[in-house]
């Protein structure tokens, strides 16, 4: 075996870079969304052991909805990408390109086992530029193929060194081969097929047997004419070790998937659910179709499911000729490679093995898979194809007549393949470009029409998306997902009647229950979302809440492990004011998924509804343990700590709010509540900074404006409060507390009696029963020396609040002054008077933004392709409503204010009495 040199490596790496440089500018598309963007296993907060418990898409292997694709080492590389660049796609595409270059270089080394240096280089270059690989290289999820191929080839190269001098066994390479096979299998399942290639290599290449020789030796042994040769015994020992290790890996793999195959629908793979002979004829036709894609990769498509390839329902279908021709050609090559000795037959045999054996898991011949054709699974089989092409070229170029022509054809093929690859990469730039390119190849696949609609939907272009979704229903009228997409789009367009009709159509297409047959095994989990979407639609109507609940329960009865149904039902039960039942629903969902931070968050909201703040805080903390960056849990747990009144919790509340604004720097609520915490801690300067930041982000932030003005008034900066109050009242002219505070400042600081009077009169126009506003207006009348009007005003105020002693005292003082002839000679300090009532005007010295009572959590509606579980309820939305229950701290503060107010009232009384 010749070694590869630096020049060869440089050439291969340069060609790969030239073909795939533009892939660096592509985004996350198609399956990348589920495997990367929606996969929580990439996040550092997820324990590493979870990678070995979940499938490739982040779903627990124990769940029926799991795809059963077990590739933890591939997910680990995604996690490393996330660690360095989070969700920036360029680093993911760069690593894929590097892995493809590594595979191409290792493949060159493998080729040199069977081809001369020149032919090996041609095979490697053809492999590097072949357009069929764009899905595996440019599509990020194709990394499973790339990584598996690296260890696949490494395992094979290791095994080739297991033959020692005198045909002895070298065990170290064999042990290393077993380890590398296991690693390849943990990257992608097809990695295990390298064992079959090693077996073929051992028998026909390393030992040099041919099929006739093996048959002759076996016949003589069974007739007792000879014993098994020692070299053959050694070969059997090596094969037994390989097969035993393979069997062990298979057993472990079966245990991992818990002996369950994934659930696929007839839309994913129509032939899989077809009767005999349609199923067999169609599956066998797929073999020449895949071979044609390798031979002529001119029309590539990212999705070959649904109606892309019509079923072959008759032996008279002309496509059966392609199947027959393919098997004849394959058989001829097989006979040539197995019957005749020589280097050429060995090369052809290994090429055929590389083409056939790695393709077996995806062939549908032994068990159904979730696709009809997938270009990325041809990544390893294309190695055998490239070896065959290079070997054939070598035979032709050795003939002097065809030498120049063979070089021209070869150069043109490599050049055109490279151009096609470069051009094909741009198709993967975005989901829209990818699916539109697929529609140019195939217009009979409803999934492609749906996916173009999804791409437009993500851009909020609902009108155009609707056209594609409707076209999907025309192409495939029984496609449940297409009707769900139409319903969701109608809902986004506020056409609820049409939306409900579409959801009802999708619901009517659901498989009927067959007695004695498990329903969950016959339906894809995402199709059950039709019940969720329909229930979410009709629950907007308060009179149909029970109907919505019935739909959730129906979905649960069909699939008891349907977590999304429990989550959505929990939200509905909260809306129906049934928090205990909502709690049961969330606890059931947590039984299915205890590592879901959103579920713990929702359960915390339920405990708030149940007036159990301590339990709520515990559940918020569990959510944050699972996801330290859970924004809603950070924010709402901080508010809960703040409202508890416990001083020891304030530092943690502040820490969480700081984390929240780091995640949501444009949300003014975070800065506002940091300001409130600073006011609690008497850090007035810090509070001022936070409140100003909140107002900068949201100029009409009602509570931030009022509390900043209140802060200024409490820190002897009343004149600075006035422009803030003016801004507040410009946005909210009916803000009563703002008017009271403004009137107080105008009387006490600006000595503007007329301005203060306007404020108090406006309050009474809006609320004639407002005691604070009316009492302060009485003080204005007194200040204007209109004692009779002040008396009438105080009488009316006392009628509104007969138990307020200070109003009665003021009334008595005014009546005494009316009857006293010396009233005119006794001046009264307006500042003293208004300051005396000021304490009663604003009963909460720090009128913080009071948090609203929690409402039922809301869910981001699941898409047709996947179910999402997220709650976007926010506990701390800001209002000016008074909380129904005050904390001990607030009561003490109010009591202090009342004592101070009484002292000021006494001062007024002394002034009024002329003391």
């Amino acid at each position: 075996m010749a070694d590869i040199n630096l020049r060869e490596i440089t050439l291969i790496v340069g060609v790969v870079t030239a073909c795939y440089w533009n892939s660096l500018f592509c985004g996350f598309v198609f399956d990348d969304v589920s495997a990367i963007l929606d996969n929580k296993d990439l996040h550092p907060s997820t324990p590493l052991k979870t990678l070995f418990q979940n499938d490739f898409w982040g779903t627990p292997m124990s769940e029926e909805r799991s795809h059963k694709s077990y590739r933890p080492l591939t997910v680990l590389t995604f996690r490393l990408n996330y660690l360095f660049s989070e969700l920036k796609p360029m680093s993911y595409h760069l690593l894929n390109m590097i892995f493809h270059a590594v595979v191409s270089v290792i493949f060159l080394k493998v080729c040199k086992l069977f081809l001369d240096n020149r032919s090996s280089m041609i095979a490697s270059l053809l492999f590097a530029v072949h357009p069929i690989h764009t899905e595996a290289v440019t599509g990020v999820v194709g990394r499973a193929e790339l990584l598996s191929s690296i260890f696949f080839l490494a395992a094979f190269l290791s095994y080739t060194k297991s033959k020692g001098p005198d045909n002895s066994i070298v065990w170290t390479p064999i042990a290393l081969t077993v380890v590398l096979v296991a690693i390849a299998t943990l990257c992608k399942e097809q990695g295990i097929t390298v064992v079959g290639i090693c077996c073929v290599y051992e028998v026909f290449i390393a030992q040099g047997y041919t099929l006739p020789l093996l048959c002759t030796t076996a016949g003589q042994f069974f007739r007792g004419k000879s014993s098994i040769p020692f070299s053959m015994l050694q070969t059997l020992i090596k094969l037994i070790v390989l097969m035993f290790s393979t069997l062990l890996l298979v057993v472990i793999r079966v245990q991992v998937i818990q002996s369950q195959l994934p659930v696929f629908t007839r839309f994913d793979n129509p032939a899989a659910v077809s009767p005999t002979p349609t199923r067999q004829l169609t599956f066998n036709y797929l073999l020449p179709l895949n071979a044609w894609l390798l031979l002529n990769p001119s029309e590539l498509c990212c999705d070959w499911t649904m109606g892309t390839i019509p079923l072959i329902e008759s032996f008279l279908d002309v496509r059966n000729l392609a199947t027959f021709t393919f098997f004849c050609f394959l058989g001829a090559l097989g006979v040539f490679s197995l019957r005749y000795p020589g280097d050429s037959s060995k090369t052809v045999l290994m090429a055929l093995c590389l083409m056939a054996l790695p393709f077996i898991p995806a062939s549908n011949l032994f068990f159904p898979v979730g696709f009809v054709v997938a270009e990325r699974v041809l990544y390893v089989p294309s190695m055998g194809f490239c070896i065959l092409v290079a070997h054939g070229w070598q035979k032709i170029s050795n003939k002097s007549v065809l030498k120049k022509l063979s070089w021209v054809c070869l150069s043109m093929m490599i050049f055109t393949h490279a151009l096609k690859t470069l051009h094909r990469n741009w198709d993967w730039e975005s989901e829209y470009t990818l699916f539109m390119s697929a529609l140019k190849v195939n217009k009979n696949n409803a999934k492609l029409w749906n996916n173009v609609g999804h791409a437009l939907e993500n851009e909020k272009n609902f009108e155009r998306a609707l056209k594609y979704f409707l076209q999907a229903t025309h192409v495939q009228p029984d496609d449940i997902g297409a009707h769900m997409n139409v319903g969701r789009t109608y809902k986004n367009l506020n056409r609820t009647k049409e939306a409900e009709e579409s959801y009802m159509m999708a619901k009517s297409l659901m498989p009927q229950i067959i007695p004695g047959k498990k329903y969950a095994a016959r339906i894809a989990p995402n199709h059950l979302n039709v019940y969720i979407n329909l229930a979410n639609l009709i629950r907007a109507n308060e009179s149909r809440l029970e109907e919505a609940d019935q739909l959730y329960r129906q979905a649960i009865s069909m699939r008891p492990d349907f977590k999304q149904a429990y989550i959505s039902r929990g939200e509905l039960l909260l809306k129906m004011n049934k928090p205990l039942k909502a709690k049961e629903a969330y606890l059931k969902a947590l039984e299915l998924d205890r590592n879901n931070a959103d579920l713990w968050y929702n359960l915390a909201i339920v405990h708030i509804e149940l007036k159990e703040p301590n339990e709520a805080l515990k559940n918020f903390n569990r959510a944050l343990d699972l996801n330290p960056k859970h924004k809603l849990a950070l924010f709402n747990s901080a508010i809960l700590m703040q409202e508890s009144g416990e001083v020891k919790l304030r530092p943690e509340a502040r820490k969480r709010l700081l984390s929240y604004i780091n995640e949501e720097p444009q949300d003014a609520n975070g800065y506002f509540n940091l300001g409130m915490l600073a006011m609690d801690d008497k850090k007035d300067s810090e509070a001022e900074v936070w409140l100003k930041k909140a107002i900068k982000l949201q100029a009409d932030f009602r509570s931030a404006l009022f509390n900043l003005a209140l802060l200024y008034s409490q820190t002897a900066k009343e004149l600075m409060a006035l422009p803030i109050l003016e801004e507040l009242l410009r946005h909210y002219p009916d803000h009563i507390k703002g008017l009271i505070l403004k009137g107080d400042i105008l009387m006490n600081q600006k000595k503007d009696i007329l301005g203060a009077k306007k404020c108090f009169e406006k309050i009474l126009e809006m609320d004639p029963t407002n005691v604070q506003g009316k009492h302060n207006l009485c003080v204005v009348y007194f200040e204007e020396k209109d004692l009779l009007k002040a008396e009438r005003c105080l009488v009316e105020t006392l009628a509104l609040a007969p138990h307020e002693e200070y109003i009665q005292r003021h009334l008595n003082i005014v009546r005494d002054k009316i009857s006293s002839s010396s009233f005119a000679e006794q001046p009264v300090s307006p500042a003293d008077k208004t300051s005396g009532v000021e304490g009663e005007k604003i009963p909460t010295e720090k009128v913080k933004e009071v948090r609203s009572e929690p409402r039922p959590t809301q869910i981001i509606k699941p898409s047709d392709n996947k179910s999402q579980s997220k709650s976007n309820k926010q506990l701390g939305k800001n209002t000016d409503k008074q909380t129904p229950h005050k904390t001990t701290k607030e009561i003490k503060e109010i009591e202090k204010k009342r004592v101070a107010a009484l002292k000021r009232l006494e001062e007024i009384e002394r002034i009024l009495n002329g003391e």
Side-chain angles (χ1 to χ4, degrees):
M1 178 173 61
D3 290 328
I4 53 178
N5 56 50
L6 183 61
R7 186 175 64 181
E8 291 171 331
I9 295 174
T10 303
L11 177 59
I12 291 173
V13 172
V15 168
V16 169
T17 304
C19 287
Y20 286 99
W21 64 268
N22 57 339
S23 71
L24 300 180
F25 304 100
C26 297
F28 294 122
V29 297
F30 205 15
D31 290 339
D32 298 347
V33 176
S34 298
I36 308 295
L37 299 182
D38 297 337
N39 193 347
K40 294 181 180 178
D41 288 348
L42 272 63
H43 301 170
S45 58
T46 303
L48 276 174
K49 66 177 183 179
T50 306
L51 272 65
F52 295 88
Q53 297 169 346
N54 294 349
D55 66 14
F56 187 53
W57 317 98
T59 305
M61 294 291 290
S62 58
E63 293 190 12
E64 257 186 308
R65 64 188 180 92
S66 168
H67 198 273
K68 309 301 180 185
S69 304
Y70 189 65
R71 305 162 192 173
L73 296 186
T74 304
V75 179
L76 183 62
T77 65
F78 292 151
R79 185 167 173 140
L80 291 174
N81 271 121
Y82 187 92
L83 185 65
F84 287 105
S85 64
E86 294 194 345
L87 294 176
K88 296 176 181 177
M90 181 174 285
S91 72
Y92 294 79
H93 289 294
L94 176 62
L95 196 54
N96 270 25
M97 188 172 73
I98 292 171
F99 284 149
H100 180 54
V102 172
V103 174
S104 300
V105 170
I106 300 176
F107 178 59
L108 173 62
K109 195 172 181 68
V110 171
C111 289
K112 290 191 175 187
L113 291 170
F114 315 108
L115 299 169
D116 60 31
N117 286 342
R118 187 175 61 183
S119 299
S120 297
M121 194 66 195
I122 288 169
S124 183
L125 286 174
L126 180 58
F127 177 81
V129 304
H130 203 296
I132 202 73
H133 298 156
T134 51
E135 182 171 341
V137 181
T138 309
V140 177
V141 295
R143 185 176 300 176
E145 266 74 24
L146 306 177
L147 279 175
S148 180
S149 298
I150 290 173
F151 296 105
F152 180 102
L153 295 176
F156 177 70
L157 288 173
S158 175
Y159 186 80
T160 59
K161 299 176 182 178
S162 64
K163 181 180 177 181
D166 301 324
N167 209 24
S168 59
I169 301 175
V170 183
W171 289 106
T172 301
I174 295 177
L176 180 59
T177 297
V178 172
V179 172
L180 291 170
V181 169
I183 296 173
T185 307
L186 290 174
C187 294
K188 192 177 182 184
E189 297 79 0
Q190 70 181 25
I192 200 170
T193 60
V194 71
V195 174
I197 294 173
C198 291
C199 291
V200 173
Y201 174 83
E202 176 65 31
V203 174
F204 296 100
I205 310 300
Q207 301 302 328
Y209 295 121
T210 61
L211 191 60
L213 179 60
L214 286 175
C215 292
T216 302
T217 304
Q220 290 177 348
F221 172 75
F222 286 118
R223 288 194 299 268
K225 293 183 178 181
S226 67
S227 60
I228 299 177
F230 179 71
S231 61
M232 190 172 287
L233 284 174
Q234 287 186 309
T235 300
L236 285 174
I237 292 172
K238 292 169 74 173
L239 295 182
I240 289 170
V241 171
L242 282 177
M243 297 308 295
F244 178 79
S245 61
T246 303
L247 181 62
L248 183 62
L249 286 173
V250 170
V251 170
I252 294 173
R253 183 68 173 83
V254 171
Q255 289 296 317
V256 167
I257 67 173
Q258 300 183 3
S259 303
Q260 293 178 342
L261 288 175
V263 178
F264 298 119
T265 69
R266 59 190 174 88
F267 303 111
D268 298 319
N269 192 346
V273 295
S274 299
T276 302
T278 300
R279 181 171 65 255
Q280 289 78 11
L281 291 175
T282 305
F283 282 157
N284 280 287
Y285 170 69
L286 295 180
L287 300 178
L289 180 63
N290 279 280
W292 179 251
L293 287 175
L294 288 174
L295 190 63
N296 178 31
S298 58
E299 292 188 340
L300 300 177
C301 181
C302 63
D303 193 299
W304 296 79
T305 57
M306 303 189 85
T308 303
I309 301 171
L311 298 174
I312 299 179
E313 299 177 322
S314 168
F315 287 101
L316 300 178
D317 193 308
V318 70
R319 289 175 292 173
N320 290 320
L321 290 176
T323 305
F324 178 75
T325 304
F326 172 77
F327 278 108
C328 287
F329 179 72
L330 196 65
L333 288 177
V335 169
F336 168 76
S337 61
L338 291 172
R339 185 169 183 176
Y340 302 104
D343 292 340
S344 181
S345 60
K346 291 178 180 179
T347 301
V348 172
L349 178 61
M350 291 309 300
L352 290 177
C353 288
L354 278 170
M355 287 179 67
L357 294 181
F359 185 73
I360 286 176
S363 65
N364 282 290
L365 296 178
F366 296 98
F367 48 83
V369 294
F371 53 84
V372 179
V373 173
E375 292 165 11
R376 62 173 174 260
V377 303
L378 294 175
Y379 189 76
V380 175
S382 68
M383 295 178 184
F385 171 79
C386 293
I387 290 175
L388 271 182
V389 172
H391 182 59
W393 176 86
Q394 180 186 359
K395 293 291 184 183
I396 294 173
S397 64
N398 287 337
K399 299 178 180 180
S400 57
V401 179
L402 301 175
K403 187 172 184 178
K404 290 184 178 180
L405 181 62
S406 66
W407 273 105
V408 171
C409 292
L410 178 68
S411 301
M412 287 183 61
M413 181 176 66
I414 292 178
F415 180 70
T416 55
H417 275 42
L419 284 181
K420 172 66 176 177
T421 297
L422 190 67
H423 181 264
R424 174 66 173 159
N425 288 334
W426 289 122
D427 291 341
W428 292 80
E429 183 178 13
S430 68
E431 293 208 317
Y432 180 77
T433 56
L434 178 64
F435 298 127
M436 285 301 293
S437 70
L439 281 176
K440 294 175 183 177
V441 176
N442 172 32
K443 291 181 170 59
N444 296 321
N445 186 340
K447 191 174 179 181
L448 294 175
W449 293 98
N450 278 322
N451 285 332
V452 174
H454 284 307
L456 293 169
E457 186 181 35
N458 291 336
E459 297 172 0
K460 308 299 181 185
N461 193 340
F462 298 122
E463 291 287 354
R464 284 190 66 200
L466 181 60
K467 294 178 182 178
Y468 283 91
F469 289 143
L470 287 171
Q471 181 62 31
T473 63
H474 295 149
V475 171
Q476 189 88 34
D478 58 349
D479 182 8
I480 297 172
H483 290 286
M484 290 169 62
N485 292 336
V486 171
R488 188 181 60 255
T489 309
Y490 275 133
K491 183 175 182 292
N492 289 330
L493 293 170
N494 295 318
R495 296 164 65 176
T496 54
K497 182 180 178 182
E498 292 95 330
E500 184 171 350
E501 289 173 355
S502 297
Y503 285 140
M504 291 300 292
M505 173 60 75
K507 183 171 174 285
S508 69
L509 294 170
M510 296 287 283
Q512 299 300 310
I513 296 176
I514 299 175
K517 189 166 185 180
K518 191 176 181 182
Y519 195 87
R522 301 169 45 249
I523 185 169
N526 62 320
H527 283 173
L528 280 175
N529 282 330
V530 66
Y531 293 94
I532 306 300
N533 291 357
L534 181 56
N536 290 343
L537 178 70
I538 66 176
R539 67 191 249 186
N541 186 339
E542 295 290 337
S543 65
R544 302 181 70 183
L545 297 182
E546 290 292 344
E547 186 181 347
D549 189 37
Q550 176 63 31
L551 286 167
Y552 292 138
R553 284 186 278 121
Q554 189 174 355
I556 291 169
S557 68
M558 290 178 174
R559 199 176 188 96
D561 69 340
F562 191 21
K563 178 179 63 181
Q564 186 59 56
Y566 292 106
I567 295 171
S568 297
R569 185 167 184 247
E571 297 176 35
L572 177 66
L573 290 169
L574 276 177
K575 185 175 183 179
M576 297 169 70
N577 198 25
K578 297 179 180 179
L580 289 175
K581 288 188 176 182
K583 180 180 175 181
E584 291 176 8
Y586 285 130
L587 288 174
K588 183 64 180 177
L590 282 168
E591 290 177 13
L592 300 170
D593 184 7
R594 297 194 65 81
N595 295 321
N596 189 317
D598 291 333
L599 282 176
W600 289 108
Y601 170 81
N602 286 359
L603 187 59
I605 298 298
V606 173
H607 282 295
I608 290 175
E609 289 286 346
L610 293 170
K611 311 300 182 189
E612 297 173 352
N614 291 333
E615 287 299 316
L617 189 56
K618 288 179 183 178
N619 288 308
F620 279 139
N621 291 339
R622 287 192 182 113
L624 291 170
D625 288 340
L626 293 168
N627 180 9
K629 293 184 178 181
H630 194 292
K631 292 179 284 192
L632 295 178
L634 283 169
F635 182 83
N636 291 318
S637 62
I639 302 306
L640 202 59
M641 291 176 178
Q642 187 178 1
E643 292 183 342
S644 71
E646 295 186 34
V647 177
K648 63 181 180 181
L649 293 178
R650 287 182 193 164
E652 180 63 22
R654 185 176 187 276
K655 179 181 175 183
R656 293 187 183 186
L657 284 172
L658 288 172
S659 298
Y660 176 76
I661 63 173
N662 186 52
E663 295 296 315
E664 287 286 344
Q666 299 303 312
D667 187 0
N669 291 292
Y671 299 98
F672 169 77
N673 283 285
L674 278 167
M676 295 296 96
L677 267 179
M679 290 179 71
D680 283 342
D681 292 331
K682 309 298 181 185
K683 298 177 180 178
D684 298 331
S685 298
E686 183 182 336
E688 180 182 357
V689 171
W690 291 123
L691 291 173
K692 283 183 174 179
K693 284 186 177 180
I695 294 168
K696 184 177 180 181
L697 287 171
Q698 185 179 335
D700 62 344
F701 197 152
R702 175 183 178 127
S703 302
L705 288 166
F706 176 71
N707 282 284
L708 180 59
L710 190 61
L711 176 66
Y712 284 144
S713 72
Q714 292 170 346
T715 53
K717 299 177 182 177
E718 289 88 348
L719 296 182
M720 292 178 66
L722 272 180
I724 305 298
L725 288 169
E726 293 289 352
E727 183 69 11
L728 170 67
L729 294 170
R730 185 174 68 84
H731 292 293
Y732 308 100
D734 58 348
H735 197 291
I736 292 177
K737 293 180 182 179
L739 288 166
I740 290 175
L741 184 57
K742 181 182 176 184
D744 171 64
I745 294 173
L746 288 175
M747 288 193 70
N748 286 325
Q749 303 301 321
K750 299 285 286 184
K751 313 303 181 186
D752 184 356
I753 306 301
L754 183 60
K757 183 177 182 181
K758 289 180 180 179
C759 290
F760 301 139
E761 285 177 340
K762 186 169 183 179
I763 292 171
L764 295 177
E765 287 177 9
M766 295 182 291
D767 181 11
T769 63
N770 187 285
V771 176
Q772 295 176 15
K774 195 164 185 68
H775 180 267
N776 289 355
L777 184 60
C778 299
V779 175
V780 170
Y781 294 151
F782 184 82
E783 176 66 23
E784 292 176 338
K785 298 183 175 55
D786 192 342
L787 298 182
L788 293 177
K789 198 168 185 178
E791 180 191 24
R792 287 195 302 273
C793 179
L794 287 168
V795 169
E796 293 171 0
T797 307
L798 187 61
L800 293 173
H803 301 295
E804 292 291 348
E805 184 184 351
Y806 74 94
I807 299 176
Q808 182 63 60
R809 288 204 308 271
H810 280 192
L811 179 58
N812 293 337
I813 292 170
V814 171
R815 284 174 174 171
D816 288 343
K817 290 303 177 183
I818 290 175
S819 62
S820 172
S821 60
S822 61
F823 174 79
E825 284 89 21
Q826 297 180 15
V828 180
S829 168
D832 287 340
K833 288 183 301 188
T834 54
S835 64
V837 292
E838 188 272 344
E840 297 294 336
K841 289 185 297 183
I842 305 177
T844 52
E845 184 179 356
K846 292 179 182 176
V847 187
K848 294 183 186 177
E849 194 48 60
V850 182
R851 286 86 189 172
S852 62
E853 286 296 306
R855 298 183 301 252
T857 54
Q858 297 177 354
I859 180 176
I860 297 175
K861 300 301 184 292
S863 68
D864 175 54
N865 293 329
K866 49 193 172 290
S867 177
Q868 296 175 331
S869 162
K870 295 189 180 173
S871 54
N872 60 1
K873 163 79 175 60
Q874 191 154 312
L875 179 66
K877 291 297 181 186
N878 296 295
T879 69
D880 282 317
K881 296 179 181 178
Q882 192 75 15
T883 48
H885 302 289
K886 297 192 186 308
T887 63
T888 303
K889 171 186 167 295
E890 288 173 328
I891 293 172
K892 289 180 179 179
E893 292 288 339
I894 291 173
E895 188 59 33
K896 288 179 183 178
K897 291 180 288 181
R898 290 183 66 85
V899 171
L902 289 173
K903 289 181 179 178
R904 289 193 291 271
L905 283 171
E906 290 174 359
E907 293 175 4
I908 284 184
E909 290 170 5
R910 285 197 298 271
I911 293 170
L912 292 174
N913 288 318
E915 295 179 2

